[in-house]
Amino acid sequence: MDNLLLNVHNVSKSFPGVKALADVGLDVRHNEVLALVGENGAGKSTLMKLLSGIHAPDSGSFELDGRPIQVQSPKQAQELGISIIHQEFNLMPDLTVAQNIYIGREPRSGNFLLNDRRLNARAAELFARIRIDLDPKSKVGDLTVAKQQMVEIAKALSHDSKVLIMDEPTAALNEAEVAALHEIIRNFKSESTGVIYISHRMDEINEIADRVTVLRDGGYVDTVDAGSTPIRDVISMMVGRRLSTEQRPDPAPAGTDVVLAADGVSTRDMLSGVSFELRAGEILGFAGLMGAGRTEVARAIVGADRITAGSIEVHGRQQKIPNPAAAASLGIGYLSEDRKHLGLLLDRNVKENIALSSLGRFSGGGFMKGKAMAAKAQELVGTLRIKTPSVNQPARNLSGGNQQKVVIAKWLLKDCDILIFDEPTRGIDVGAKEEIYTLLNELASQGKSIIMISSELPEVLRLSHRIVVMCEGRVAGSLSNDEADQENIMEMATRFGADDVVPAGAEPAGGTQ
Amino acid sequence: MSTVQAAKSESRTHTGDTAGRTLSGRLRSSLQQFLAFASLIALVIFFSIASGKFMTLSNISGILLATSVIGILALGTTFVIISGGIDLSIGTGMTLCSVMTGVFLTYLGLPLIVGVIGGILTGAVMGLVNGTLIAALKIPPFIATLAMMMIAEGLALVISGTSPIYFGSTPGFTNLALGSVIPGLSIPNAVLIIFIAAVLAGVTMSKTIIGRYTFSIGSNEDATALSGVNVKKWKVLIYTFAGAFTGLAGVVMASRLSSAQPGLGMGYELEAIAAVIIGGTSLQGGKGSIIGTVIGALIMSVLTNGLRIMSIPQEWQNVAVGAVILLAVYLDMLRRKETS
């Protein structure tokens, strides 16, 4: 028992409508790096927030070095020796490196006067001790992402932490930076300290972790030895076998025309050489982990982000698409994952929301033709089976599923035949998901072409005729539905990483049909 | 293999690129300060050439005197704006402080120093109320201080019985702003007061804990709170500190006019905010400086004074100041876009 640094017992946490964690336990030993893995939504982030005192658990307990602890605030977590580096940085960009690290603990002369000389000296001492190369006086906002990451780490380590928890620390780093980070972690772990390392990159886990704890759907799955367990086994623990009786789509219509083709599309921040083809009447799924660049592909296609290389063909003609309005006039509609902010005017009614993108056709001489608008909206409410008392109901009062249908109606009215759905069932309950699935299938069989971006693998497998798997801004591979399963998608989605070698068959898609 | 190598070299150039941008970013940010100062010098040179009456000692001293009230208001509000807030109540709040100074000195017949401190404290109490509304009750700063602006206006009228309070019974009070403690130089004390206030504000901003947290909260409030700083407490302190400057402005104003004029004040807040913005402080918070605000306030009064000397009507002076604000903010946005 005395070998346990941190012990988490049967912790549960619910948020309104969601059970985020159910009876999860894990332990961290001294001088070890414990990797914590799981799919999107497995409960890793929730567990972190409990450990850092941002949320309180509904039940369960924590022990640090054998003593029970209660973490009530981030400050208290730090005082106990638990430091967390979140995925989104908690830095003040306008302050210097040293000012950021010692915020709230500034060396002072007297009560109110700051002593910046001592502040900078203390930071320099810290950097020397943990072997990080940073200038205490540079402004954080001027640093690269990797350097900002280092500032976060230095800040965490300045607290004399016992447990260092890192959430996806390498998501934005290149290989040299990842190696440097791993070096810092190895320097940090000791007989009195340990690390929880959350990552999606399987190859990294072999590299840095001693043991791996797997979470799935808010529950604990298993803890295994990192060195001796094959990556494939870890992946199958992550995805589980929960859907053995999966439904699969009907085969796609054969030999239809290519309606949309991307060739080597790159953007400044994210994408590099993304190629794929979308055929008429087809649902093309985009799978990948968070941050893999799936949404960015959609944004690049509709012109929301600028393309720096490559080209896009619509119906066989090369097109420059400068903005989403141009995409819409080519018949490409993008349904954002952030429906409530970017898809709907919540306080306006169903009728107005449906007509919003096509107002031109409902106006004459500058006046709105209310009756025609209502009639058309009524018709779409019927075809899409939108459950609403009337077309005059504010969109806010509809359920998530029906709101999504209103957004779909808006794009159908605009005569879009290429629809890009980004997380079409996010925030929609199970029954309504089925309805959205049925609707997507119907749209495809009517000849609409659909790109569906989804983080839920069962959803991707259930609907997509073909699946493009993305990883780190690139296409890691593409699969037809009958050759795809959760394991091989996950394997592709975690393919690139610190490792230099790309496994065979990882040529960018395009050749794969 | 080749894709990985391409990605690698790409990320490398990206890093180098950012480092390059960092350096020029730093240059550009000091350039902005320099630019404001250079514009001030250019304006002074332009008006000196355009009119012989501009570069005289009495006119310069007039410009500085005209800067004093708006300048002191702007000093305090620089803290509020850098912390990511806004304070619309400083104009009418200043008037309320003038009136209260009148009450202390004239109605209650308290000693001069007590009246002055009372006026300043009135401002601090208003700031305390603003800060509490904003930090504890989470009322958006714009709304909280808009309400306080109207409350202060009303209270000033109620307390004074809608008529000016004259300081006839305290003759020393007028000398506070208009007298001159420096023998031989006809520089009014008000100018000395704003100079001291600016030094005090500048030191507070760059050397004390309140200044550090002002920048930190404006830069990223959530991160500051997660770092264990009691953001609520410091926000209240920032508004209270800024309020003391409003109080000081009220005292100086009353002394300059030898009276507390309850009908004045509305509109001063916007001029003070304009001075802060021209001085390069960002309305988004996190960025700005006291020296910038001083330059901004001077640019505004030099512009107004110069145009008046050139006999350009008041209406056009407003147009010119408006144009300067647009230009300053646009330049600031350009800079921001290129550094981010």
Side-chain angles (χ1 to χ4, degrees), chain B residues 19-42:
Chain B
R21 236 182 282 145
T22 301
L23 189 68
S24 61
R26 225 179 272 163
L27 277 177
R28 213 172 277 123
S29 101
S30 45
L31 191 78
Q32 168 82 7
Q33 205 120 84
F34 175 73
L35 214 65
F37 188 63
S39 326
L40 177 61
I41 300 295

mmCIF file with all atom_site columns, all heavy atoms in Angstrom, chain B residues 19-42:
data_model
loop_
_atom_site.group_PDB
_atom_site.id
_atom_site.type_symbol
_atom_site.label_atom_id
_atom_site.label_alt_id
_atom_site.label_comp_id
_atom_site.label_asym_id
_atom_site.label_entity_id
_atom_site.label_seq_id
_atom_site.pdbx_PDB_ins_code
_atom_site.Cartn_x
_atom_site.Cartn_y
_atom_site.Cartn_z
_atom_site.occupancy
_atom_site.B_iso_or_equiv
_atom_site.pdbx_formal_charge
_atom_site.auth_seq_id
_atom_site.auth_comp_id
_atom_site.auth_asym_id
_atom_site.auth_atom_id
_atom_site.pdbx_PDB_model_num
ATOM 1   N N   . ALA B 1 19 ? 8.879  32.803 -34.502 1.00 0.00 ? 19 ALA B N   1
ATOM 2   C CA  . ALA B 1 19 ? 9.942  33.503 -33.789 1.00 0.00 ? 19 ALA B CA  1
ATOM 3   C C   . ALA B 1 19 ? 10.213 34.843 -34.446 1.00 0.00 ? 19 ALA B C   1
ATOM 4   O O   . ALA B 1 19 ? 10.381 35.854 -33.785 1.00 0.00 ? 19 ALA B O   1
ATOM 5   C CB  . ALA B 1 19 ? 11.205 32.644 -33.772 1.00 0.00 ? 19 ALA B CB  1
ATOM 6   N N   . GLY B 1 20 ? 10.210 34.838 -35.798 1.00 0.00 ? 20 GLY B N   1
ATOM 7   C CA  . GLY B 1 20 ? 10.431 36.079 -36.533 1.00 0.00 ? 20 GLY B CA  1
ATOM 8   C C   . GLY B 1 20 ? 9.355  37.095 -36.234 1.00 0.00 ? 20 GLY B C   1
ATOM 9   O O   . GLY B 1 20 ? 9.621  38.254 -35.996 1.00 0.00 ? 20 GLY B O   1
ATOM 10  N N   . ARG B 1 21 ? 8.123  36.593 -36.197 1.00 0.00 ? 21 ARG B N   1
ATOM 11  C CA  . ARG B 1 21 ? 7.001  37.477 -35.949 1.00 0.00 ? 21 ARG B CA  1
ATOM 12  C C   . ARG B 1 21 ? 7.074  38.056 -34.536 1.00 0.00 ? 21 ARG B C   1
ATOM 13  O O   . ARG B 1 21 ? 6.673  39.167 -34.285 1.00 0.00 ? 21 ARG B O   1
ATOM 14  C CB  . ARG B 1 21 ? 5.691  36.698 -36.122 1.00 0.00 ? 21 ARG B CB  1
ATOM 15  C CG  . ARG B 1 21 ? 4.776  37.342 -37.150 1.00 0.00 ? 21 ARG B CG  1
ATOM 16  C CD  . ARG B 1 21 ? 3.488  36.569 -37.263 1.00 0.00 ? 21 ARG B CD  1
ATOM 17  N NE  . ARG B 1 21 ? 3.648  35.373 -38.059 1.00 0.00 ? 21 ARG B NE  1
ATOM 18  C CZ  . ARG B 1 21 ? 3.006  34.240 -37.809 1.00 0.00 ? 21 ARG B CZ  1
ATOM 19  N NH1 . ARG B 1 21 ? 2.211  34.135 -36.797 1.00 0.00 ? 21 ARG B NH1 1
ATOM 20  N NH2 . ARG B 1 21 ? 3.192  33.196 -38.583 1.00 0.00 ? 21 ARG B NH2 1
ATOM 21  N N   . THR B 1 22 ? 7.605  37.254 -33.619 1.00 0.00 ? 22 THR B N   1
ATOM 22  C CA  . THR B 1 22 ? 7.724  37.686 -32.235 1.00 0.00 ? 22 THR B CA  1
ATOM 23  C C   . THR B 1 22 ? 8.544  38.953 -32.126 1.00 0.00 ? 22 THR B C   1
ATOM 24  O O   . THR B 1 22 ? 8.136  39.927 -31.521 1.00 0.00 ? 22 THR B O   1
ATOM 25  C CB  . THR B 1 22 ? 8.422  36.587 -31.421 1.00 0.00 ? 22 THR B CB  1
ATOM 26  O OG1 . THR B 1 22 ? 7.629  35.428 -31.554 1.00 0.00 ? 22 THR B OG1 1
ATOM 27  C CG2 . THR B 1 22 ? 8.540  36.977 -29.984 1.00 0.00 ? 22 THR B CG2 1
ATOM 28  N N   . LEU B 1 23 ? 9.684  38.914 -32.799 1.00 0.00 ? 23 LEU B N   1
ATOM 29  C CA  . LEU B 1 23 ? 10.599 40.039 -32.718 1.00 0.00 ? 23 LEU B CA  1
ATOM 30  C C   . LEU B 1 23 ? 9.958  41.286 -33.298 1.00 0.00 ? 23 LEU B C   1
ATOM 31  O O   . LEU B 1 23 ? 9.917  42.337 -32.659 1.00 0.00 ? 23 LEU B O   1
ATOM 32  C CB  . LEU B 1 23 ? 11.896 39.696 -33.456 1.00 0.00 ? 23 LEU B CB  1
ATOM 33  C CG  . LEU B 1 23 ? 13.013 40.701 -33.255 1.00 0.00 ? 23 LEU B CG  1
ATOM 34  C CD1 . LEU B 1 23 ? 13.498 40.661 -31.817 1.00 0.00 ? 23 LEU B CD1 1
ATOM 35  C CD2 . LEU B 1 23 ? 14.162 40.424 -34.216 1.00 0.00 ? 23 LEU B CD2 1
ATOM 36  N N   . SER B 1 24 ? 9.392  41.136 -34.495 1.00 0.00 ? 24 SER B N   1
ATOM 37  C CA  . SER B 1 24 ? 8.796  42.308 -35.124 1.00 0.00 ? 24 SER B CA  1
ATOM 38  C C   . SER B 1 24 ? 7.567  42.744 -34.328 1.00 0.00 ? 24 SER B C   1
ATOM 39  O O   . SER B 1 24 ? 7.230  43.910 -34.279 1.00 0.00 ? 24 SER B O   1
ATOM 40  C CB  . SER B 1 24 ? 8.422  42.018 -36.573 1.00 0.00 ? 24 SER B CB  1
ATOM 41  O OG  . SER B 1 24 ? 7.480  40.987 -36.646 1.00 0.00 ? 24 SER B OG  1
ATOM 42  N N   . GLY B 1 25 ? 6.893  41.761 -33.689 1.00 0.00 ? 25 GLY B N   1
ATOM 43  C CA  . GLY B 1 25 ? 5.745  42.094 -32.847 1.00 0.00 ? 25 GLY B CA  1
ATOM 44  C C   . GLY B 1 25 ? 6.159  43.011 -31.716 1.00 0.00 ? 25 GLY B C   1
ATOM 45  O O   . GLY B 1 25 ? 5.494  43.994 -31.414 1.00 0.00 ? 25 GLY B O   1
ATOM 46  N N   . ARG B 1 26 ? 7.283  42.690 -31.112 1.00 0.00 ? 26 ARG B N   1
ATOM 47  C CA  . ARG B 1 26 ? 7.759  43.496 -29.993 1.00 0.00 ? 26 ARG B CA  1
ATOM 48  C C   . ARG B 1 26 ? 8.121  44.906 -30.478 1.00 0.00 ? 26 ARG B C   1
ATOM 49  O O   . ARG B 1 26 ? 7.782  45.894 -29.866 1.00 0.00 ? 26 ARG B O   1
ATOM 50  C CB  . ARG B 1 26 ? 8.981  42.816 -29.373 1.00 0.00 ? 26 ARG B CB  1
ATOM 51  C CG  . ARG B 1 26 ? 8.919  42.780 -27.867 1.00 0.00 ? 26 ARG B CG  1
ATOM 52  C CD  . ARG B 1 26 ? 10.121 42.072 -27.289 1.00 0.00 ? 26 ARG B CD  1
ATOM 53  N NE  . ARG B 1 26 ? 9.898  40.653 -27.173 1.00 0.00 ? 26 ARG B NE  1
ATOM 54  C CZ  . ARG B 1 26 ? 10.896 39.763 -27.000 1.00 0.00 ? 26 ARG B CZ  1
ATOM 55  N NH1 . ARG B 1 26 ? 12.130 40.158 -26.983 1.00 0.00 ? 26 ARG B NH1 1
ATOM 56  N NH2 . ARG B 1 26 ? 10.624 38.496 -26.864 1.00 0.00 ? 26 ARG B NH2 1
ATOM 57  N N   . LEU B 1 27 ? 8.792  44.938 -31.634 1.00 0.00 ? 27 LEU B N   1
ATOM 58  C CA  . LEU B 1 27 ? 9.146  46.232 -32.215 1.00 0.00 ? 27 LEU B CA  1
ATOM 59  C C   . LEU B 1 27 ? 7.899  47.051 -32.459 1.00 0.00 ? 27 LEU B C   1
ATOM 60  O O   . LEU B 1 27 ? 7.834  48.226 -32.145 1.00 0.00 ? 27 LEU B O   1
ATOM 61  C CB  . LEU B 1 27 ? 9.885  46.025 -33.544 1.00 0.00 ? 27 LEU B CB  1
ATOM 62  C CG  . LEU B 1 27 ? 11.372 45.745 -33.431 1.00 0.00 ? 27 LEU B CG  1
ATOM 63  C CD1 . LEU B 1 27 ? 11.959 45.496 -34.803 1.00 0.00 ? 27 LEU B CD1 1
ATOM 64  C CD2 . LEU B 1 27 ? 12.068 46.929 -32.766 1.00 0.00 ? 27 LEU B CD2 1
ATOM 65  N N   . ARG B 1 28 ? 6.900  46.366 -33.027 1.00 0.00 ? 28 ARG B N   1
ATOM 66  C CA  . ARG B 1 28 ? 5.700  47.077 -33.410 1.00 0.00 ? 28 ARG B CA  1
ATOM 67  C C   . ARG B 1 28 ? 4.982  47.632 -32.186 1.00 0.00 ? 28 ARG B C   1
ATOM 68  O O   . ARG B 1 28 ? 4.401  48.698 -32.233 1.00 0.00 ? 28 ARG B O   1
ATOM 69  C CB  . ARG B 1 28 ? 4.778  46.143 -34.203 1.00 0.00 ? 28 ARG B CB  1
ATOM 70  C CG  . ARG B 1 28 ? 3.995  46.881 -35.250 1.00 0.00 ? 28 ARG B CG  1
ATOM 71  C CD  . ARG B 1 28 ? 3.234  45.932 -36.152 1.00 0.00 ? 28 ARG B CD  1
ATOM 72  N NE  . ARG B 1 28 ? 4.042  45.405 -37.214 1.00 0.00 ? 28 ARG B NE  1
ATOM 73  C CZ  . ARG B 1 28 ? 4.235  44.111 -37.429 1.00 0.00 ? 28 ARG B CZ  1
ATOM 74  N NH1 . ARG B 1 28 ? 3.692  43.230 -36.647 1.00 0.00 ? 28 ARG B NH1 1
ATOM 75  N NH2 . ARG B 1 28 ? 4.977  43.697 -38.418 1.00 0.00 ? 28 ARG B NH2 1
ATOM 76  N N   . SER B 1 29 ? 5.017  46.878 -31.078 1.00 0.00 ? 29 SER B N   1
ATOM 77  C CA  . SER B 1 29 ? 4.270  47.346 -29.925 1.00 0.00 ? 29 SER B CA  1
ATOM 78  C C   . SER B 1 29 ? 4.928  48.568 -29.283 1.00 0.00 ? 29 SER B C   1
ATOM 79  O O   . SER B 1 29 ? 4.248  49.445 -28.766 1.00 0.00 ? 29 SER B O   1
ATOM 80  C CB  . SER B 1 29 ? 4.061  46.204 -28.928 1.00 0.00 ? 29 SER B CB  1
ATOM 81  O OG  . SER B 1 29 ? 4.960  46.306 -27.873 1.00 0.00 ? 29 SER B OG  1
ATOM 82  N N   . SER B 1 30 ? 6.265  48.661 -29.358 1.00 0.00 ? 30 SER B N   1
ATOM 83  C CA  . SER B 1 30 ? 6.867  49.895 -28.853 1.00 0.00 ? 30 SER B CA  1
ATOM 84  C C   . SER B 1 30 ? 6.703  51.010 -29.884 1.00 0.00 ? 30 SER B C   1
ATOM 85  O O   . SER B 1 30 ? 6.665  52.185 -29.556 1.00 0.00 ? 30 SER B O   1
ATOM 86  C CB  . SER B 1 30 ? 8.342  49.689 -28.511 1.00 0.00 ? 30 SER B CB  1
ATOM 87  O OG  . SER B 1 30 ? 8.988  48.984 -29.528 1.00 0.00 ? 30 SER B OG  1
ATOM 88  N N   . LEU B 1 31 ? 6.559  50.590 -31.141 1.00 0.00 ? 31 LEU B N   1
ATOM 89  C CA  . LEU B 1 31 ? 6.324  51.556 -32.205 1.00 0.00 ? 31 LEU B CA  1
ATOM 90  C C   . LEU B 1 31 ? 5.026  52.311 -31.963 1.00 0.00 ? 31 LEU B C   1
ATOM 91  O O   . LEU B 1 31 ? 4.951  53.517 -32.157 1.00 0.00 ? 31 LEU B O   1
ATOM 92  C CB  . LEU B 1 31 ? 6.250  50.816 -33.559 1.00 0.00 ? 31 LEU B CB  1
ATOM 93  C CG  . LEU B 1 31 ? 6.271  51.687 -34.799 1.00 0.00 ? 31 LEU B CG  1
ATOM 94  C CD1 . LEU B 1 31 ? 7.689  52.155 -35.079 1.00 0.00 ? 31 LEU B CD1 1
ATOM 95  C CD2 . LEU B 1 31 ? 5.732  50.935 -36.010 1.00 0.00 ? 31 LEU B CD2 1
ATOM 96  N N   . GLN B 1 32 ? 3.997  51.571 -31.514 1.00 0.00 ? 32 GLN B N   1
ATOM 97  C CA  . GLN B 1 32 ? 2.685  52.161 -31.281 1.00 0.00 ? 32 GLN B CA  1
ATOM 98  C C   . GLN B 1 32 ? 2.783  53.317 -30.292 1.00 0.00 ? 32 GLN B C   1
ATOM 99  O O   . GLN B 1 32 ? 2.249  54.393 -30.497 1.00 0.00 ? 32 GLN B O   1
ATOM 100 C CB  . GLN B 1 32 ? 1.739  51.085 -30.744 1.00 0.00 ? 32 GLN B CB  1
ATOM 101 C CG  . GLN B 1 32 ? 0.443  51.623 -30.187 1.00 0.00 ? 32 GLN B CG  1
ATOM 102 C CD  . GLN B 1 32 ? -0.556 51.882 -31.289 1.00 0.00 ? 32 GLN B CD  1
ATOM 103 O OE1 . GLN B 1 32 ? -0.310 51.531 -32.444 1.00 0.00 ? 32 GLN B OE1 1
ATOM 104 N NE2 . GLN B 1 32 ? -1.680 52.478 -30.957 1.00 0.00 ? 32 GLN B NE2 1
ATOM 105 N N   . GLN B 1 33 ? 3.546  53.069 -29.184 1.00 0.00 ? 33 GLN B N   1
ATOM 106 C CA  . GLN B 1 33 ? 3.729  54.098 -28.187 1.00 0.00 ? 33 GLN B CA  1
ATOM 107 C C   . GLN B 1 33 ? 4.459  55.296 -28.790 1.00 0.00 ? 33 GLN B C   1
ATOM 108 O O   . GLN B 1 33 ? 4.082  56.435 -28.613 1.00 0.00 ? 33 GLN B O   1
ATOM 109 C CB  . GLN B 1 33 ? 4.575  53.541 -27.050 1.00 0.00 ? 33 GLN B CB  1
ATOM 110 C CG  . GLN B 1 33 ? 4.337  54.254 -25.768 1.00 0.00 ? 33 GLN B CG  1
ATOM 111 C CD  . GLN B 1 33 ? 3.829  53.289 -24.740 1.00 0.00 ? 33 GLN B CD  1
ATOM 112 O OE1 . GLN B 1 33 ? 4.591  52.605 -24.102 1.00 0.00 ? 33 GLN B OE1 1
ATOM 113 N NE2 . GLN B 1 33 ? 2.530  53.211 -24.627 1.00 0.00 ? 33 GLN B NE2 1
ATOM 114 N N   . PHE B 1 34 ? 5.490  54.943 -29.561 1.00 0.00 ? 34 PHE B N   1
ATOM 115 C CA  . PHE B 1 34 ? 6.282  55.970 -30.219 1.00 0.00 ? 34 PHE B CA  1
ATOM 116 C C   . PHE B 1 34 ? 5.412  56.760 -31.182 1.00 0.00 ? 34 PHE B C   1
ATOM 117 O O   . PHE B 1 34 ? 5.517  57.977 -31.284 1.00 0.00 ? 34 PHE B O   1
ATOM 118 C CB  . PHE B 1 34 ? 7.451  55.312 -30.963 1.00 0.00 ? 34 PHE B CB  1
ATOM 119 C CG  . PHE B 1 34 ? 8.253  56.262 -31.773 1.00 0.00 ? 34 PHE B CG  1
ATOM 120 C CD1 . PHE B 1 34 ? 9.114  57.166 -31.164 1.00 0.00 ? 34 PHE B CD1 1
ATOM 121 C CD2 . PHE B 1 34 ? 8.139  56.274 -33.150 1.00 0.00 ? 34 PHE B CD2 1
ATOM 122 C CE1 . PHE B 1 34 ? 9.846  58.062 -31.921 1.00 0.00 ? 34 PHE B CE1 1
ATOM 123 C CE2 . PHE B 1 34 ? 8.870  57.171 -33.910 1.00 0.00 ? 34 PHE B CE2 1
ATOM 124 C CZ  . PHE B 1 34 ? 9.729  58.061 -33.297 1.00 0.00 ? 34 PHE B CZ  1
ATOM 125 N N   . LEU B 1 35 ? 4.529  56.023 -31.870 1.00 0.00 ? 35 LEU B N   1
ATOM 126 C CA  . LEU B 1 35 ? 3.649  56.641 -32.861 1.00 0.00 ? 35 LEU B CA  1
ATOM 127 C C   . LEU B 1 35 ? 2.745  57.685 -32.202 1.00 0.00 ? 35 LEU B C   1
ATOM 128 O O   . LEU B 1 35 ? 2.588  58.803 -32.717 1.00 0.00 ? 35 LEU B O   1
ATOM 129 C CB  . LEU B 1 35 ? 2.784  55.553 -33.497 1.00 0.00 ? 35 LEU B CB  1
ATOM 130 C CG  . LEU B 1 35 ? 2.426  55.732 -34.957 1.00 0.00 ? 35 LEU B CG  1
ATOM 131 C CD1 . LEU B 1 35 ? 3.671  55.664 -35.821 1.00 0.00 ? 35 LEU B CD1 1
ATOM 132 C CD2 . LEU B 1 35 ? 1.436  54.653 -35.382 1.00 0.00 ? 35 LEU B CD2 1
ATOM 133 N N   . ALA B 1 36 ? 2.178  57.343 -31.038 1.00 0.00 ? 36 ALA B N   1
ATOM 134 C CA  . ALA B 1 36 ? 1.311  58.281 -30.331 1.00 0.00 ? 36 ALA B CA  1
ATOM 135 C C   . ALA B 1 36 ? 2.109  59.528 -29.942 1.00 0.00 ? 36 ALA B C   1
ATOM 136 O O   . ALA B 1 36 ? 1.650  60.655 -30.130 1.00 0.00 ? 36 ALA B O   1
ATOM 137 C CB  . ALA B 1 36 ? 0.718  57.613 -29.093 1.00 0.00 ? 36 ALA B CB  1
ATOM 138 N N   . PHE B 1 37 ? 3.317  59.287 -29.434 1.00 0.00 ? 37 PHE B N   1
ATOM 139 C CA  . PHE B 1 37 ? 4.161  60.407 -29.022 1.00 0.00 ? 37 PHE B CA  1
ATOM 140 C C   . PHE B 1 37 ? 4.542  61.262 -30.227 1.00 0.00 ? 37 PHE B C   1
ATOM 141 O O   . PHE B 1 37 ? 4.475  62.499 -30.182 1.00 0.00 ? 37 PHE B O   1
ATOM 142 C CB  . PHE B 1 37 ? 5.419  59.877 -28.324 1.00 0.00 ? 37 PHE B CB  1
ATOM 143 C CG  . PHE B 1 37 ? 6.241  60.947 -27.695 1.00 0.00 ? 37 PHE B CG  1
ATOM 144 C CD1 . PHE B 1 37 ? 5.740  61.718 -26.653 1.00 0.00 ? 37 PHE B CD1 1
ATOM 145 C CD2 . PHE B 1 37 ? 7.532  61.211 -28.157 1.00 0.00 ? 37 PHE B CD2 1
ATOM 146 C CE1 . PHE B 1 37 ? 6.503  62.721 -26.073 1.00 0.00 ? 37 PHE B CE1 1
ATOM 147 C CE2 . PHE B 1 37 ? 8.293  62.215 -27.587 1.00 0.00 ? 37 PHE B CE2 1
ATOM 148 C CZ  . PHE B 1 37 ? 7.770  62.967 -26.540 1.00 0.00 ? 37 PHE B CZ  1
ATOM 149 N N   . ALA B 1 38 ? 4.894  60.578 -31.329 1.00 0.00 ? 38 ALA B N   1
ATOM 150 C CA  . ALA B 1 38 ? 5.277  61.293 -32.550 1.00 0.00 ? 38 ALA B CA  1
ATOM 151 C C   . ALA B 1 38 ? 4.110  62.126 -33.081 1.00 0.00 ? 38 ALA B C   1
ATOM 152 O O   . ALA B 1 38 ? 4.300  63.251 -33.541 1.00 0.00 ? 38 ALA B O   1
ATOM 153 C CB  . ALA B 1 38 ? 5.752  60.300 -33.606 1.00 0.00 ? 38 ALA B CB  1
ATOM 154 N N   . SER B 1 39 ? 2.873  61.574 -32.984 1.00 0.00 ? 39 SER B N   1
ATOM 155 C CA  . SER B 1 39 ? 1.712  62.339 -33.454 1.00 0.00 ? 39 SER B CA  1
ATOM 156 C C   . SER B 1 39 ? 1.542  63.601 -32.617 1.00 0.00 ? 39 SER B C   1
ATOM 157 O O   . SER B 1 39 ? 1.209  64.668 -33.149 1.00 0.00 ? 39 SER B O   1
ATOM 158 C CB  . SER B 1 39 ? 0.424  61.514 -33.349 1.00 0.00 ? 39 SER B CB  1
ATOM 159 O OG  . SER B 1 39 ? 0.654  60.182 -33.580 1.00 0.00 ? 39 SER B OG  1
ATOM 160 N N   . LEU B 1 40 ? 1.771  63.473 -31.314 1.00 0.00 ? 40 LEU B N   1
ATOM 161 C CA  . LEU B 1 40 ? 1.662  64.636 -30.429 1.00 0.00 ? 40 LEU B CA  1
ATOM 162 C C   . LEU B 1 40 ? 2.666  65.711 -30.834 1.00 0.00 ? 40 LEU B C   1
ATOM 163 O O   . LEU B 1 40 ? 2.315  66.888 -30.998 1.00 0.00 ? 40 LEU B O   1
ATOM 164 C CB  . LEU B 1 40 ? 1.895  64.197 -28.980 1.00 0.00 ? 40 LEU B CB  1
ATOM 165 C CG  . LEU B 1 40 ? 1.876  65.305 -27.921 1.00 0.00 ? 40 LEU B CG  1
ATOM 166 C CD1 . LEU B 1 40 ? 0.526  65.999 -27.903 1.00 0.00 ? 40 LEU B CD1 1
ATOM 167 C CD2 . LEU B 1 40 ? 2.192  64.738 -26.552 1.00 0.00 ? 40 LEU B CD2 1
ATOM 168 N N   . ILE B 1 41 ? 3.923  65.285 -31.046 1.00 0.00 ? 41 ILE B N   1
ATOM 169 C CA  . ILE B 1 41 ? 4.966  66.226 -31.457 1.00 0.00 ? 41 ILE B CA  1
ATOM 170 C C   . ILE B 1 41 ? 4.601  66.860 -32.803 1.00 0.00 ? 41 ILE B C   1
ATOM 171 O O   . ILE B 1 41 ? 4.711  68.079 -32.992 1.00 0.00 ? 41 ILE B O   1
ATOM 172 C CB  . ILE B 1 41 ? 6.328  65.502 -31.577 1.00 0.00 ? 41 ILE B CB  1
ATOM 173 C CG1 . ILE B 1 41 ? 6.725  64.901 -30.230 1.00 0.00 ? 41 ILE B CG1 1
ATOM 174 C CG2 . ILE B 1 41 ? 7.414  66.441 -32.087 1.00 0.00 ? 41 ILE B CG2 1
ATOM 175 C CD1 . ILE B 1 41 ? 6.987  65.909 -29.142 1.00 0.00 ? 41 ILE B CD1 1
ATOM 176 N N   . ALA B 1 42 ? 4.115  66.010 -33.725 1.00 0.00 ? 42 ALA B N   1
ATOM 177 C CA  . ALA B 1 42 ? 3.757  66.524 -35.056 1.00 0.00 ? 42 ALA B CA  1
ATOM 178 C C   . ALA B 1 42 ? 2.659  67.573 -34.940 1.00 0.00 ? 42 ALA B C   1
ATOM 179 O O   . ALA B 1 42 ? 2.717  68.627 -35.594 1.00 0.00 ? 42 ALA B O   1
ATOM 180 C CB  . ALA B 1 42 ? 3.303  65.369 -35.952 1.00 0.00 ? 42 ALA B CB  1
#
